[in-house]
Amino acid sequence: MTIIIDRTRDRSKATGPVSIAERQREKERPKGLYQARVPIYPKLVHGQWRWIKWALLIVMLAIYYITPWIRWDRPGALPDQAVLVDFDGGRFYFFMIQLWPQEVYFITGLLVLSALALFLVTSLFGRLWCGYACPQTVWTDLYIYVERMFEGDRNARMRLDAAPMSLNKLWRKAGKHAVWIGVAFGTGGAWIFYFHDAPQLIRTFWVGTAPMTAYVSCAILTFTTYVFAGHMREQVCTYMCPWPRIQGAMLDDQSFQVTYRSDRGEPRGPHKKAESWDGRGDCIDCNQCVVVCPMGIDIRNGAQLECINCGLCIDACNEVMEKVGRPRGLIAYDTDAAVAARSCGQKPQHRLIRPRTLYYGVALLIVSGLMIWGFSTRKTLDVHALRDRNPASVRLHDGAVRNGYTLKIANHGFQTATVEIRYGGVPGATLRSPGRPVSDPLTLQVDPNRVTSVRVFVTAPAAEVAEGSRPASFEVRSGDERQSVRTAFEYGELR
């Protein structure tokens, strides 16, 4: 039998006296499985790290919105968009680089490089990605900026939300959400330009003739940007993103993070202008580091899952320290080991090179070397030989044996390639391609950025005919480039 205990009963109806401790326990007891979001009103702060965040925000948004419009001249009918994921043509273009579907390992290598670089930076300097470069952080900063434009700074926004609906509140809220939706639509609209020719798509999009995938993708990204950056904000970082939990395995006491230097700040407490600083810390418990935090946490409680290392609390604390006449840097990028060393009266030592950073650095160098080697040795031509299976061989009237092959020649370059094909392994064998003049070697033109299929018949003279099969190969040359493709020549059974 299952017994259900009702812990949500109304305490006012309980009989008998209720102690203060019991009331406190009742207050702290969870009321359900889900707690509604408590709005956070981060205060605007000025300082070094805030300006760095503004600069990076402008640079990264400019890269995101401008990149699809950069042109790159390519020959023939190839797209002249510098960065394009062309699903229709099965190509990925990045300026002078062109990747084919079978070269997906290069994209895999780039992803591995990005992951290793992120691991290395995190182990050295904490969550810099989260605080400065993550799209969620960038667009949330932009949305908060728009919010301040319409509703004012922290205290004004709090008063406006608490006030009853009025014309003033209505137009401010409506204007804010209208700009939010416009930014979200611009975000989704810029994204689809990476998958279609931007000048053409912007014309067809508004007349309803663009591909349906463009409309669906734009709608999805518009919705997610508006919801994530406008309404969920810190909840995305805390509950939806796995990185805060993963990065914990990459940090140690030598990792630089936004740190409250408790060795200098404690014991904390209010301070009056004429009072002495003897016997107390520099923290005056003003809570300015809390009110500017976009995650709504108190950095003085130590390293926390929610902290994105944005550095805004550093700027806020530095302003306060200047006002009270104390040195800056009570909150700064520092290490736990340094704080512990100063607490013991020792000189802190920062170790950037340590086992985990060494592992990540070596792995990064190895993968980078492999990627550079792969690009430097990347061939313009890619050749595959498919031998006919039915029939495997044909006996001619003069006793010679003929095999049929299909050569698939991919020209990864942007210029037409003149290709010479030779056959080795069967003495006296001759090559012929239907519709092309007989020549030795067989010569043909391969169009740029295309896969050309060529039917080739190889005939072995009667004097060389034997039973079974024989290893053979096609040798394909184009200029200084040479490729050898292994195959076999089938003689069949002698009768």
Side-chain angles (χ1 to χ4, degrees):
M1 181 178 67
T2 303
I3 300 176
I4 301 177
I5 301 176
D6 183 9
R7 298 187 180 273
T8 60
R9 65 185 186 277
D10 188 354
R11 273 290 184 183
S12 63
K13 296 180 181 180
T15 59
V18 179
S19 66
I20 295 177
E22 178 65 20
R23 289 175 180 171
Q24 183 64 25
R25 285 194 296 270
E26 186 70 27
K27 182 179 179 181
E28 294 176 354
R29 184 175 291 127
K31 301 301 181 183
L33 297 177
Y34 175 77
Q35 180 179 358
R37 176 179 181 265
V38 178
I40 297 175
Y41 302 87
K43 180 182 177 181
L44 178 63
V45 64
H46 302 285
Q48 174 187 359
W49 301 106
R50 177 66 270 181
W51 287 113
I52 291 176
K53 283 175 65 66
W54 284 133
L56 289 176
L57 181 147
I58 293 172
V59 170
M60 287 183 288
L61 288 179
I63 292 173
Y64 177 73
Y65 287 112
I66 294 175
T67 298
W69 299 95
I70 300 176
R71 302 292 95 186
W72 191 265
D73 185 33
R74 296 189 180 94
L78 297 180
D80 60 355
Q81 187 162 311
V83 180
L84 177 65
V85 182
D86 184 8
F87 281 116
D88 292 336
R91 306 288 186 274
F92 170 63
Y93 299 97
F94 186 81
F95 295 92
M96 75 291 295
I97 298 174
Q98 176 188 209
L99 297 181
W100 290 45
Q102 58 267 35
E103 295 177 311
V104 68
Y105 51 85
F106 282 118
I107 299 177
T108 303
L110 290 175
L111 294 177
V112 173
L113 275 179
S114 301
L116 290 174
L118 186 58
F119 296 165
L120 178 60
V121 170
T122 300
S123 62
L124 288 172
F125 308 111
R127 295 173 61 185
L128 287 184
W129 164 262
C130 298
Y132 296 91
C134 176
Q136 173 67 16
T137 299
V138 171
W139 266 272
T140 297
D141 269 359
L142 181 59
Y143 270 50
I144 293 176
Y145 174 77
V146 173
E147 193 171 54
R148 287 197 186 101
M149 287 176 54
F150 283 92
E151 301 180 5
D153 204 2
R154 171 182 165 84
N155 293 335
R157 297 201 304 274
M158 295 174 67
R159 288 194 300 268
L160 186 67
D161 283 355
M165 182 57 67
S166 63
L167 183 60
N168 177 62
K169 183 174 181 177
L170 180 62
W171 83 261
R172 291 183 184 277
K173 292 289 185 181
K176 176 188 73 173
H177 285 280
V179 175
W180 277 3
I181 293 174
V183 172
F185 179 74
T187 303
W191 177 252
I192 61 178
F193 291 147
Y194 284 89
F195 299 88
H196 303 274
D197 183 61
Q200 179 181 358
L201 182 61
I202 199 172
R203 293 191 298 268
T204 58
F205 186 89
W206 296 108
V207 297
T209 58
M212 182 56 63
T213 54
Y215 296 104
V216 174
S217 300
C218 182
I220 292 175
L221 204 59
T222 298
F223 174 77
T224 53
T225 303
Y226 174 73
V227 173
F228 289 173
H231 297 277
M232 298 183 67
R233 294 184 179 175
E234 77 286 344
Q235 288 190 320
V236 174
C237 302
T238 304
Y239 301 112
M240 297 178 62
C241 180
W243 182 237
R245 293 151 181 84
I246 297 174
Q247 58 90 28
M250 302 168 193
L251 300 175
D252 55 25
D253 60 354
Q254 291 290 341
S255 300
F256 280 88
Q257 302 184 71
V258 174
T259 304
Y260 168 65
R261 290 170 168 168
S262 56
D263 58 297
R264 173 185 153 187
E266 300 296 328
R268 72 181 80 158
H271 180 267
K272 295 182 180 179
K273 186 174 182 180
E275 289 182 346
S276 172
W277 290 93
D278 295 336
R280 57 155 296 146
D282 286 350
C283 179
I284 63 173
D285 209 13
C286 63
N287 281 329
Q288 288 303 300
C289 57
V290 179
V291 298
V292 302
C293 179
M295 303 299 292
I297 64 172
D298 189 344
I299 192 61
R300 296 173 295 179
N301 294 333
Q304 298 160 67
L305 173 72
E306 297 85 355
C307 181
I308 60 174
N309 278 216
C310 63
L312 297 182
C313 54
I314 299 177
D315 291 334
C317 187
N318 285 341
E319 285 186 0
V320 175
M321 290 296 101
E322 289 178 352
K323 291 178 181 178
V324 299
R326 302 301 292 172
R328 295 160 60 96
L330 177 58
I331 301 176
Y333 278 97
D334 206 348
T335 67
D336 293 339
V339 174
R342 285 192 297 266
S343 299
C344 299
Q346 302 173 359
K347 182 179 179 180
Q349 295 182 350
H350 300 295
R351 294 170 48 227
L352 295 180
I353 300 178
R354 49 194 194 274
R356 69 179 62 215
T357 59
L358 193 60
Y359 297 153
Y360 294 143
V362 170
L364 188 63
L365 289 175
I366 292 175
V367 177
S368 300
L370 291 174
M371 290 289 293
I372 295 173
W373 175 80
F375 273 110
S376 62
T377 59
R378 185 169 175 250
K379 298 183 181 298
T380 304
L381 296 180
D382 189 16
V383 184
H384 296 274
L386 305 176
R387 186 169 53 81
D388 291 351
R389 298 293 182 181
N390 189 20
S393 61
V394 176
R395 183 75 59 129
L396 303 180
H397 67 280
D398 59 355
V401 176
R402 187 182 70 189
N403 281 196
Y405 301 86
T406 299
L407 295 184
K408 292 187 176 295
I409 306 175
N411 183 359
H412 295 170
F414 295 127
Q415 303 294 332
T416 300
T418 301
V419 174
E420 296 179 351
I421 303 175
R422 293 178 174 86
Y423 192 80
V426 180
T430 59
L431 278 74
R432 185 176 65 84
S433 180
R436 292 182 172 86
V438 177
S439 61
D440 187 22
L442 183 62
T443 304
L444 56 99
Q445 302 291 319
V446 179
D447 294 333
N449 196 41
R450 291 287 185 272
V451 177
T452 301
S453 295
V454 183
R455 286 286 292 160
V456 176
F457 294 110
V458 179
T459 303
E464 297 295 333
V465 170
E467 190 171 353
S469 63
R470 185 170 187 170
S473 64
F474 283 97
E475 184 180 283
V476 181
R477 291 186 179 183
S478 177
D480 296 333
E481 188 171 337
R482 170 184 173 182
Q483 284 198 51
S484 182
V485 183
R486 294 181 181 179
T487 183
F489 189 88
E490 294 286 343
Y491 290 101
E493 296 182 359
L494 296 176
R495 299 174 183 267

